[in-house]
Amino acid sequence: MQPILEIEHMSIHFTQYAKGTRRRELPVIKDLSLQIAPGQVVAVVGASGSGKSLLAHGILHILPRNSHMEGRILYDGSELTDKRAAKLRGREIVLVPQGVTYLDPLMKVGDQVRGEDAAPDAAQRARKALTRYGLAPETEELYPFELSGGMARRVLIATAVTHEPRLIIADEPTPGLDAKAAARILGHFRELAEGGAGVLLITHDLELALTIADQVAVFYAGQTIEVASAADFADPANLRHPFTRALWRAMPEHGFQPIEGAQPYPGTLAAGCPFAGQCDRSTPQCREAADLPLRSWQGGMVRCLNPRREE
Amino acid sequence: MTTTNRRRSTLFLVLFAVAVLAAITVAGILLNGRAMESDFARKNLMPCLEYPFGTDWMGRDMLARTLAGLSLSIRIGLLTAAVSACIALVMGIISATMGRWADSVVCFCIDLVMGIPHILLVMLISIACGKGFLGVVTGVALSHWTSLARVIRGEVMQLRQAPYILAARKLGIRRWDIVRRHMLVHLMPQFLTGLILLFPHAILHEASVTFLGFGLSSEQPAIGVILSESMRYLTTGKWWLALFPGISLVIVVLLFALLGERIRLLLDPASAQE
Amino acid sequence: MTMTLQANNVTFTYRGRHGAPVLQNISLTIQSGERVGLKAPSGRGKTTLCRLLAGYERPQSGQVLLDGKPVCGMRGVCPVQMMWQHPETVVDPLLRLGVTLSESGPVDRRLLEELHIEDGWMERFPAELSGGELQRFCLARALNPATRFLLCDEISAMLDLVTQAQIWSFLIREAERRDLGLLIVSHSDSLLEQVCTRIETLPV
């Protein structure tokens, strides 16, 4: 099937002022490739602060002014330019942002869900969207501060889906929610995918992502180091990259074992595999290799010199 | 992708404004003697090459007088704005940290000062202090701190609830240390911008009070004095006596406003990276 | 010496929100050496309870007592310290981290080594560190020698699994060594089961 979204070798840099008027380039995302087919949920999993949100902003072409993006984004088979993104976002491509702070605190929920839509059936459509997520018509009369965390999340989803989008980007939809509420919110995204939309789920929570995702892309120091199907996570032997396996073993139900060290900053990497510092199997080649490519390996993708199966 | 270095161009504008203002100040001080010099052989000259701003009815060089007046205005503005901003900082911090009682007292003072029209208040204080330099400075300084004090009060109130300040308090850090270490740095952008944006107000109010005769004494070459004297000669067609000093005053005020605006852009984290 | 942190029938309503209290007649006791997990659906006042126990807020009725003395209004370093979900809000963004850490007095070398806090961080500003690094840094600050109870409000919710496991394995070791009492708020049941000695549920 034709993928709804294809990202090819996307990189995002920031231009920042260091001291005085000197400027420096700060790479945040490096060589990211991704595909989403209609009806699929693809999760991008990475540590907080690793620039995952910028991925969403990059796709929507709403990056801050001091950043720039390289690579290619194809939507529905043809290139997603600035102009096209501006036309499609909010309609065919929607963002479900992180939390209540994205709602206008001085506007009633009903008005926010309706948005700028002036069509005569807008009010009805908004109500339908709210009811779909278990929000009573009274919710329309509430202000954002009167909503609980879970309700606010559902309002944000309702706002996003009033126009029957084909691509939904969800940026950290679950923090602050208890397990039950989080599962319910994620269930809504699964439903949307069953309805034929592509869902890109950006999160730091691998455990929750695994409950609904078809594919998982693991982010490490600004790079995708592995793309695996969710089923691969049933057994660590199926995982390709040593960091993914470390993540698996660090899950509370799988032993809760940490590995030493921390992720390097995207900007500090000169050459070599970013994970080499934490990897128990790194070789001198790993530290020297320039530009490791993301390559196909046993039904998934991996960015590693010797992605062996675990014995 | 931006290709121009915005921070550099902004900094350039700021330096340009500072340089012009500093040049006017210094030139005015140096030309003070010439501004007082009268020579009836050259009285009432239209603007010409030798006297670009013309001369007045006593044959005084209007360019020198304008520069001297602006210089005096800038120096008074500097002093009053600095005093005003410091009052605002102290009042704002007291109001937000010393409890409800202090807050009501400060807020009452703010409302009181804001409730009276500025120009009237400056005049009253100036008269009470015996007019002249002291009168004008006290008057302007005591009437301009209110809005900045409100801004700082709000800012401190918000800071007080910041988790990192709560955490510092739990570690037993004393109240004064918290103000010094955590709050003053955060207030700096508001304080500096507020200070610079106070200049134009201070200068204009000084000039208007002097113009009305309640400020600096008439032998000093202040812009207010120049403008008020020139009013008497306007009807006789000596337009240059008011036009050039007036325009210069407007330019100086605009320069200060530009300076404040640009500095705000540089210091405000929301726009600092643009 | 065993100490007890106790909330007795506390009720709390946020100012301006008339009517429904966030917490009503809640009681909870933590002894030193215990690791108590706290479970409740979101919006039921787990964070508020932590803030009350740490003395950031005063309950409208009921008391929060540390060995019989009220926690609110204690002078000096409070023996009850709180860790927050978003470490970047708990450190002054304009101060070098060394200055922030010095607020907790001289920090034990051993603590810095075990938390893998590098000396170079002291010269940096918070924006230059990742969430996981800042959270470890905040732990070093909160584990002042005077600290006896640590309230952890979703402290690993925003971290990746590896960092989460690192932090908890350190905290369990440290709590056992110093006989600290921990209150652990988390939405993850499997985490609570791994870490806690006892799990409490807030009544609805």
Side-chain angles (χ1 to χ4, degrees):
Chain A
M1 204 192 314
Q2 164 95 26
I4 186 88
L5 183 79
E6 289 169 86
I7 300 173
E8 291 171 6
H9 306 291
M10 177 207 254
S11 295
I12 296 178
H13 296 260
F14 263 86
T15 312
Q16 271 196 331
Y17 288 98
K19 273 203 179 97
T21 61
R22 251 183 329 116
R23 290 196 286 192
R24 60 174 180 190
E25 288 281 306
L26 203 72
V28 188
I29 292 179
K30 226 177 118 182
D31 189 23
L32 178 138
S33 300
L34 207 66
Q35 286 197 350
I36 302 174
Q40 222 185 11
V41 179
V42 175
V44 172
V45 178
S48 58
S50 64
K52 293 174 309 226
S53 300
L54 287 172
L55 167 62
H57 295 172
I59 297 170
L60 293 165
H61 288 257
I62 50 171
L63 285 169
R65 279 235 299 254
N66 57 331
S67 60
H68 71 109
M69 185 166 63
E70 283 158 20
R72 232 154 64 104
I73 301 174
L74 298 179
Y75 173 76
D76 207 9
S78 52
E79 185 138 6
L80 191 62
T81 53
D82 262 351
K83 227 180 180 170
R84 194 152 168 250
K87 212 162 73 193
L88 292 176
R89 67 182 171 229
R91 294 184 173 77
E92 285 191 27
I93 310 178
V94 295
L95 173 71
V96 180
Q98 286 190 19
V100 235
T101 46
Y102 284 81
L103 291 171
D104 184 340
L106 299 177
M107 206 192 220
K108 283 183 185 164
V109 165
D111 295 331
Q112 308 212 28
V113 175
R114 225 166 293 139
E116 290 167 13
D117 197 345
D121 63 335
Q124 205 191 343
R125 250 205 323 239
R127 178 154 308 172
K128 220 175 89 195
L130 285 172
T131 341
R132 184 168 165 194
Y133 294 107
L135 297 163
E138 296 91 82
T139 322
E140 285 184 40
E141 293 302 308
L142 296 179
Y143 285 97
F145 78 95
E146 294 171 294
L147 302 172
S148 74
M151 278 166 88
R153 256 9 104 80
R154 278 181 274 154
V155 168
L156 286 169
I157 300 179
T159 312
V161 302
T162 40
H163 289 278
E164 287 167 12
R166 298 177 59 200
L167 175 64
I168 298 149
I169 304 169
D171 186 6
E172 293 281 10
T174 54
L177 298 184
D178 57 90
K180 227 159 135 196
R184 183 166 175 200
I185 295 293
L186 289 180
H188 292 317
F189 285 113
R190 186 71 246 178
E191 265 169 46
L192 287 166
E194 302 298 334
V199 177
L200 176 64
L201 175 69
I202 299 175
T203 178
H204 70 279
D205 198 327
L206 178 59
E207 290 171 279
L208 276 171
L210 286 177
T211 59
I212 64 153
D214 299 301
Q215 284 221 307
V216 177
V218 182
F219 227 56
Y220 184 89
Q223 296 188 333
T224 30
I225 49 130
E226 175 162 354
V227 180
S229 71
D232 290 347
F233 283 83
D235 182 359
N238 292 334
L239 296 173
R240 296 156 194 86
H241 197 281
F243 177 67
T244 322
R245 283 201 289 271
L247 278 180
W248 191 88
R249 280 195 298 266
M251 285 189 197
E253 57 269 53
H254 296 157
F256 212 32
Q257 289 164 15
I259 53 165
E260 290 289 301
Q263 300 192 13
Y265 300 98
T268 56
L269 304 167
C273 171
F275 186 61
Q278 280 186 286
C279 186
D280 52 356
R281 305 199 323 201
S282 68
T283 60
Q285 286 104 300
C286 291
R287 291 168 198 279
E288 283 154 22
D291 285 333
L292 287 166
L294 189 67
R295 54 188 170 130
S296 296
W297 185 268
Q298 293 174 343
M301 307 277 276
V302 69
R303 195 190 296 274
C304 183
L305 279 181
N306 43 352
R308 274 184 299 133
R309 281 170 180 266
E310 230 173 33
E311 281 82 42
Chain B
M1 184 185 166
T2 51
T3 43
T4 50
N5 190 324
R6 274 164 191 279
R7 192 176 276 193
R8 191 174 292 162
S9 58
T10 306
L11 207 62
F12 177 76
L13 260 176
V14 166
L15 287 179
F16 173 75
V18 168
V20 171
L21 293 170
I24 293 175
T25 315
V26 173
I29 296 173
L30 295 177
L31 287 171
N32 211 6
R34 234 184 117 192
M36 308 289 230
E37 205 172 87
S38 53
D39 179 354
F40 288 95
R42 56 172 199 210
K43 68 176 182 176
N44 290 336
L45 288 181
M46 287 267 277
C48 57
L49 272 182
E50 199 180 343
Y51 302 105
F53 283 17
T55 60
D56 66 3
W57 65 98
M58 285 163 83
R60 291 176 297 196
D61 181 359
M62 285 309 287
L63 177 62
R65 274 178 77 71
T66 304
L67 282 175
L70 287 176
S71 165
L72 189 66
S73 285
I74 291 174
R75 278 176 284 155
I76 290 181
L78 209 69
L79 185 65
T80 47
V83 174
S84 242
C86 289
I87 298 177
L89 186 67
V90 172
M91 293 297 236
I93 290 179
I94 288 179
S95 154
T97 55
M98 306 283 260
R100 217 167 272 187
W101 195 78
D103 190 32
S104 353
V105 172
V106 172
C107 286
F108 177 75
C109 288
I110 293 179
D111 290 341
L112 193 70
V113 173
M114 275 190 146
I116 307 171
H118 264 177
I119 194 76
L120 193 66
L121 191 66
V122 180
M123 268 162 49
L124 288 175
I125 300 177
S126 178
I127 293 171
C129 295
K131 300 198 207 170
F133 182 79
L134 181 75
V136 171
V137 170
T138 326
V140 177
L142 285 184
S143 55
H144 281 67
W145 55 274
T146 47
S147 26
L148 184 58
R150 273 217 177 131
V151 170
I152 288 181
R153 171 176 174 268
E155 198 71 17
V156 174
M157 290 244 172
Q158 214 175 20
L159 275 176
R160 232 169 33 146
Q161 286 304 314
Y164 56 89
I165 290 195
L166 294 178
R169 282 233 298 266
K170 274 290 141 195
L171 287 164
I173 308 298
R174 275 166 314 185
R175 194 191 278 179
W176 168 237
D177 282 334
I178 287 182
V179 170
R180 191 172 50 84
R181 198 178 304 154
H182 294 291
M183 291 187 177
L184 286 181
V185 198
H186 285 269
L187 295 174
M188 263 310 131
Q190 270 83 1
F191 179 74
L192 279 181
T193 318
L195 173 75
I196 295 168
L197 290 177
L198 268 176
F199 278 158
H201 282 266
I203 291 175
L204 281 179
H205 276 133
E206 176 266 319
S208 14
V209 170
T210 307
F211 177 83
L212 292 172
F214 300 102
L216 299 176
S217 57
S218 53
E219 69 272 9
Q220 273 168 311
I223 284 287
V225 173
I226 297 173
L227 288 177
S228 108
E229 285 175 351
S230 64
M231 290 308 283
R232 272 179 267 153
Y233 295 87
L234 266 185
T235 43
T236 56
K238 311 218 169 31
W239 49 271
W240 61 89
L241 291 181
L243 183 69
F244 291 118
I247 288 180
S248 317
L249 179 66
V250 170
I251 290 175
V252 164
V253 166
L254 286 179
L255 271 177
F256 269 119
L258 171 98
L259 197 63
E261 189 56 28
R262 291 288 144 172
I263 286 188
R264 189 186 63 73
L265 281 180
L266 278 183
L267 293 178
D268 187 350
S271 59
Q273 295 295 343
E274 278 186 3
Chain C
M1 188 190 75
T2 305
M3 288 176 97
T4 314
L5 179 64
Q6 209 173 7
N8 283 338
N9 287 319
V10 291
T11 300
F12 187 79
T13 315
Y14 277 105
R15 261 210 292 172
R17 218 190 278 179
H18 299 288
V22 190
L23 295 169
Q24 197 155 24
N25 291 326
I26 299 292
S27 298
L28 183 77
T29 309
I30 310 168
Q31 308 272 351
S32 5
E34 268 191 316
R35 298 191 295 271
V36 181
L38 187 61
K39 247 170 43 171
S42 40
R44 289 285 149 68
K46 284 171 298 188
T47 302
T48 310
L49 184 58
C50 285
R51 288 172 67 94
L52 284 170
L53 285 169
Y56 287 124
E57 308 278 358
R58 228 178 259 275
Q60 267 100 39
S61 71
Q63 293 163 303
V64 175
L65 302 172
L66 177 67
D67 272 358
K69 278 176 277 185
V71 175
C72 215
M74 277 188 170
R75 287 178 179 271
V77 182
C78 183
V80 185
Q81 292 288 332
M82 178 165 169
M83 293 283 298
W84 307 56
Q85 181 177 0
H86 300 283
E88 58 280 2
T89 60
V90 199
V91 287
D92 191 329
L94 299 181
L95 279 187
R96 286 180 200 282
L97 287 166
V99 182
T100 302
L101 192 60
S102 70
E103 290 191 333
S104 184
V107 176
D108 200 349
R109 202 62 241 165
R110 178 187 59 82
L111 214 57
L112 295 183
E113 271 161 27
E114 285 200 35
L115 284 166
H116 303 290
I117 293 175
E118 291 158 28
D119 287 334
W121 295 6
M122 300 302 162
E123 293 303 310
R124 299 221 212 150
F125 289 98
E128 299 168 46
L129 294 189
S130 72
E133 288 166 330
L134 276 180
Q135 196 60 286
R136 301 210 300 270
F137 179 87
C138 289
L139 262 179
R141 179 176 65 164
L143 289 171
N144 185 287
T147 303
R148 300 305 312 278
F149 288 92
L150 195 63
L151 315 174
C152 308
D153 182 15
E154 294 275 15
I155 61 168
S156 59
M158 296 303 289
L159 307 179
D160 66 284
L161 290 162
V162 169
T163 318
Q164 163 170 300
Q166 282 174 346
I167 282 188
W168 284 112
S169 72
F170 162 79
L171 251 181
I172 293 173
R173 253 182 296 139
E174 190 67 15
E176 277 169 1
R177 187 199 321 252
R178 286 172 53 174
D179 204 24
L180 296 173
L182 299 188
L183 179 70
I184 298 145
V185 176
S186 173
H187 67 271
S188 159
D189 292 346
S190 48
L191 175 80
L192 290 180
E193 272 153 33
Q194 284 282 331
V195 173
C196 301
T197 55
R198 168 161 72 91
I199 296 177
E200 294 281 333
T201 310
L202 274 186
V204 177

